[in-house]
Amino acid sequence: MSSPTAARSSIDPAEVERFSRIAAEWWDPNGKFAPLHRFNPVRLAFIRDHALYRFGRDGAQRRPFEGLRLLDIGCGGGLLSEPMARLGFTVTAVDASERNILTASTHAAEQGLDIDYRCTTAEDLLAAGESPFDVILNMEVIEHVADPGAYLRDCSRLLAPGGLMIVATLNRTLKALALAKIGAEYVLRWLPAGTHDWNKFLKPDEIRGFLAGEPVAVDGPYGVVFNPLTGRWTESVDSDVNYMMTVVRPAA
């Protein structure tokens, strides 16, 4: 008999198909994923700083995270997986789209990077008894899954004792509707129309609620805002649109 974890799926087929159609454009900084390329520096700095603090690593080292395992869930074309591998993590990266995984694997091979790319899901990793990870990246994924609560709990159960998960998503506010949905998709054309469903955006308290029964500590939100004058994203106290949260499983 299948386990309860294996019997359900976080996959929303329509979301997978939407991203599969544009998989070949992941590494084009001026293409459909241009907003993610602009967003990447602030995401990378946040991940690096919190992981350095959490694991007591020396940021002056070229590869400070040697010996730590990292899982990048919903990795897309590998925009985060590759820099994480360069920082020394042993990276496993998963995505429900075979086309995304093919794009990511091909690009990593061209860069000489050893990344374990798999077309699978968090719940399937959990059901298969995958060894826990020191760091899990859950970046701009949860607003695209079918059951965000079950999905996030499965992800948290893949964390090793003392491990760190970073969740990035969009807040379900009128400001986010105006800027991240209507503005980004229909006015500025930063994203293809239909990329996001505002009703799937999540409030920080909902993230906390999903994990209330899990043995983890949740912190944040840490806001992220875009400055149209500089064209840069920065951390901010304003979490009304984009934000990140940290999830830590206490050491055994």
Side-chain angles (χ1 to χ4, degrees):
M1 179 179 295
S2 300
S3 69
T5 301
R8 56 180 165 75
S9 173
S10 63
I11 294 174
D12 182 329
E15 296 282 4
V16 174
E17 172 59 22
R18 181 175 296 116
F19 285 98
S20 293
R21 286 197 299 268
I22 52 177
E25 299 192 47
W26 275 103
W27 288 96
D28 179 0
N30 300 308
K32 289 185 170 63
F33 293 104
L36 274 182
H37 284 268
R38 290 194 291 266
F39 198 24
N40 237 18
V42 71
R43 298 196 303 173
L44 292 170
F46 185 91
I47 295 164
R48 183 178 183 276
D49 290 348
H50 280 263
L52 286 173
Y53 176 79
R54 180 66 194 163
F55 298 102
R57 297 300 176 98
D58 181 1
Q61 298 296 314
R62 187 174 67 88
R63 294 170 60 85
F65 302 115
E66 292 278 8
L68 296 177
R69 298 183 74 225
L70 178 143
L71 173 65
D72 185 6
I73 304 177
C75 63
L79 298 188
L80 288 175
S81 302
E82 290 197 8
M84 292 298 106
R86 290 190 174 97
L87 286 171
F89 284 110
T90 299
V91 178
T92 298
V94 304
D95 199 283
S97 165
E98 290 186 8
R99 292 182 65 185
N100 283 348
I101 290 297
L102 178 60
T103 297
S105 299
T106 300
H107 194 272
E110 292 170 348
Q111 306 302 309
L113 294 172
D114 182 14
I115 297 173
D116 180 12
Y117 281 112
R118 310 182 198 176
C119 184
T120 189
T121 62
E123 65 267 19
D124 284 346
L125 289 177
L126 188 63
E130 178 69 45
S131 298
F133 295 88
D134 300 295
V135 175
I136 295 177
L137 302 185
N138 207 320
M139 313 297 279
E140 291 81 39
V141 176
I142 192 169
E143 68 270 20
H144 298 289
V145 303
D147 185 339
Y151 163 77
L152 196 58
R153 287 187 290 275
D154 284 345
C155 293
S156 75
R157 293 164 189 170
L158 287 165
L159 266 181
L164 166 71
M165 176 164 66
I166 297 174
V167 180
T169 191
L170 291 146
N171 207 339
R172 196 173 64 256
T173 63
L174 291 178
K175 185 175 179 180
L177 175 62
L179 296 179
K181 177 61 182 177
I182 298 171
E185 295 183 18
Y186 295 97
V187 178
L188 298 173
R189 302 287 183 177
W190 284 353
L191 299 168
T195 296
H196 290 113
D197 179 349
W198 179 79
N199 294 296
K200 290 186 174 182
F201 290 4
L202 295 163
K203 294 181 177 292
D205 283 347
E206 291 175 309
I207 300 291
R208 295 182 189 279
F210 293 150
L211 295 170
E214 298 296 312
V216 295
V218 183
D219 197 16
Y222 302 90
V224 185
V225 298
F226 180 73
N227 184 332
L229 298 179
T230 64
R232 296 179 58 192
W233 290 87
T234 57
E235 286 190 52
S236 169
V237 295
D238 182 356
S239 59
D240 287 346
V241 182
N242 294 83
Y243 68 92
M244 292 183 274
M245 299 186 79
T246 61
V247 180
V248 172
R249 181 174 291 277

